[in-house]
Amino acid sequence: MASEIDIAPYVEKFEEFYSAALQDKISRLLSEYPVQKSLMVDYEELEKFDREAADLLVKQPDTMIHAAEQALVASQEVSYKTAHPDEPFEPHVRFYNLPDPGLLIQDISSRQIRELISFKGVITKRGPVRHKVKVAVYKCQMCDAKMKVPVSKNTEVPQVCMECKRRALKLEEEDSYFVDVQNAESQELLERLKGGAPAATISLWLEDDLVNRVTPGETVAITGVMRLRPPEKGKGKESGQIYTRYIDVVSAQKTQREFEEIETTEDDEQQIHELSRDPRLYDKVREAIAPGIYGHTEVKEALTLQLFGGTPGKSMPGGAPIRDDIHILLIGDPGSAKTRFLQYIVNLAPKGIYV
């Protein structure tokens, strides 16, 4: 737990680390804050600087991340306040690029509770943005005294006024400080499954600048703390002892290559320009789909159209939008090359997965 070690030496250690390795990143953060609210730290850089601190980050992430954020504020708050005297400086420190042990979502177990872990998955769900109290302000209805209470995971709601000792406290929502939160869900990468095993899923908890940073369908490398959610009350005796797991996300890095990131050579570009002027381009693309399979011209044409997609932004005469994504259902006798077509297409499509 966070109270098991003295945080002060690690605050100093992180200040030394920032000074030695991250001055450029910190300068960029200071110039972009609060649009950019997080300092992204490569775990390998920390490990090279101090292996003990890196190991402790994995075993006691709450303590070490708190120390890292304290060190960042302590070393840079004066510089930020000088330029922005009326704005608070409350940055996050987010670690990424942990050593990849090939951890599968289905293998995350109770041994990793409260530890920092890393895994890859595809985002399947993303919930609405909600708002959580970060600093609660309570006002006594009897004596008008106010209390400011920083809210953490273990904070208890105050019941008694510090001034008059009466139970008359009310949360002042307008004076309290809220932070955006969001639930999401990650699923095992299908290509990593063996046989007919079902794809495991796990819930994700996103806060502040991580909200709306992931989109369903994206492949993401998640770094976060494995936590347990208490059982719901009134669900029976057995469920009263069963806790559900979730990942308190520290960082989420997109791993898939976008289309614009695919590199092309000058020779590739020349061939593309030549093809664009070819009057038989449409026929050539269609005939290039699984050329080893004879015939099936209509099927190859449909698959060609699906690869390129429809025209976005089109609508019906009444104004209803026309879907530009194309879905295809192949039906045929056994041995009519349906699987061969799928296997060929998945090698062409950058985001294709054969299941």
Side-chain angles (χ1 to χ4, degrees):
M1 299 295 290
S3 60
E4 293 177 355
I5 63 174
D6 181 14
I7 194 175
Y10 293 100
V11 173
E12 296 180 6
K13 184 68 69 176
F14 275 111
E15 288 180 354
E16 296 174 10
F17 172 56
Y18 295 152
S19 178
L22 298 179
Q23 281 302 307
D24 290 343
K25 281 188 175 182
I26 292 174
S27 297
R28 192 156 53 248
L29 174 66
L30 289 174
S31 65
E32 297 178 359
Y33 190 91
V35 176
Q36 171 67 29
K37 300 183 70 173
S38 294
L39 177 67
M40 303 302 296
V41 180
D42 190 330
Y43 179 87
E44 288 187 358
E45 290 188 30
L46 177 63
E47 190 175 38
K48 290 176 184 176
F49 181 80
D50 190 311
R51 181 177 291 273
E52 180 192 352
D55 291 342
L56 198 58
L57 172 66
V58 173
K59 295 299 180 182
Q60 298 194 29
D62 291 335
T63 297
M64 297 301 287
I65 292 174
H66 181 53
E69 292 177 347
Q70 273 199 8
L72 181 59
V73 172
S75 61
Q76 305 299 327
E77 188 172 26
V78 174
S79 300
Y80 185 80
K81 287 288 188 181
T82 301
H84 309 84
D86 298 326
E87 295 182 13
F89 185 56
E90 300 172 336
H92 304 284
V93 177
R94 302 197 180 279
F95 295 89
Y96 69 98
N97 196 29
L98 267 68
D100 183 14
L103 181 65
L104 299 176
I105 293 176
Q106 65 184 18
D107 294 332
I108 298 174
S109 69
S110 57
R111 294 191 302 272
Q112 285 127 349
I113 294 173
R114 293 187 295 275
E115 289 188 1
L116 193 67
I117 61 175
S118 181
F119 60 90
K120 293 180 181 178
V122 60
I123 303 300
T124 54
K125 294 180 183 178
R126 191 181 76 180
V129 178
R130 294 178 292 171
H131 313 286
K132 184 182 77 169
V133 178
K134 196 74 173 178
V135 179
V137 176
Y138 293 93
K139 182 179 180 181
C140 180
Q141 302 300 295
M142 303 301 293
C143 68
D144 290 337
K146 287 189 176 182
M147 296 173 55
K148 185 177 288 188
V149 182
V151 179
S152 63
K153 294 178 177 63
N154 300 317
T155 301
E156 295 184 3
V157 177
Q159 303 292 331
V160 180
C161 174
M162 298 294 290
E163 299 293 333
C164 66
K165 309 301 181 185
R166 298 182 183 179
R167 291 177 173 268
L169 293 177
K170 181 182 178 182
L171 177 66
E172 293 288 296
E173 295 178 354
E174 292 184 359
D175 296 330
S176 298
Y177 172 64
F178 289 80
V179 65
D180 294 340
V181 297
Q182 186 177 47
N183 282 310
E185 185 179 272
S186 178
Q187 178 182 287
E188 201 83 80
L189 294 176
L190 298 178
E191 60 264 34
R192 300 182 68 181
L193 296 176
K194 296 181 180 179
T201 61
I202 194 164
S203 297
L204 308 176
W205 179 258
L206 308 165
E207 285 195 14
D208 205 3
D209 57 338
L210 289 177
V211 166
N212 285 340
R213 292 295 297 273
V214 297
T215 304
E218 291 179 336
T219 301
V220 180
I222 299 292
T223 301
V225 183
M226 201 279 231
R227 303 193 192 279
L228 296 181
R229 185 174 286 116
E232 297 181 23
K233 295 181 179 179
K235 292 289 185 178
K237 294 182 179 179
E238 292 184 3
S239 62
Q241 303 299 322
I242 305 298
Y243 288 68
T244 56
R245 63 183 185 175
Y246 71 97
I247 300 298
D248 190 353
V249 178
V250 172
S251 68
Q253 305 285 117
K254 298 176 184 178
T255 61
Q256 63 197 23
R257 299 176 69 198
E258 298 295 339
F259 296 120
E260 61 267 24
E261 295 177 2
I262 297 175
E263 297 179 0
T264 56
T265 64
E266 290 185 6
D267 185 50
D268 293 333
E269 293 179 8
Q270 183 179 349
Q271 292 187 49
I272 291 171
H273 285 301
E274 290 177 0
L275 280 171
S276 69
R277 294 187 289 268
D278 190 335
R280 290 195 68 250
L281 175 60
Y282 183 85
D283 295 331
K284 285 184 176 181
V285 174
R286 181 190 61 207
E287 292 165 4
I289 300 295
I293 300 175
Y294 179 77
H296 297 291
T297 305
E298 296 86 352
V299 174
K300 291 182 179 182
E301 185 168 1
L303 294 173
T304 302
L305 294 172
Q306 184 190 40
L307 279 174
F308 287 90
T311 303
K314 296 181 72 174
S315 59
M316 302 283 285
I322 297 177
R323 181 191 182 115
D324 56 287
D325 294 326
I326 299 172
H327 289 192
I328 291 177
L329 173 64
L330 287 182
I331 302 176
D333 294 331
S336 57
K338 300 185 300 297
T339 302
R340 291 280 301 280
F341 278 127
L342 291 178
Q343 291 172 338
Y344 190 88
I345 290 298
V346 79
N347 291 326
L348 289 176
K351 296 183 180 180
I353 296 175
Y354 178 75
V355 182

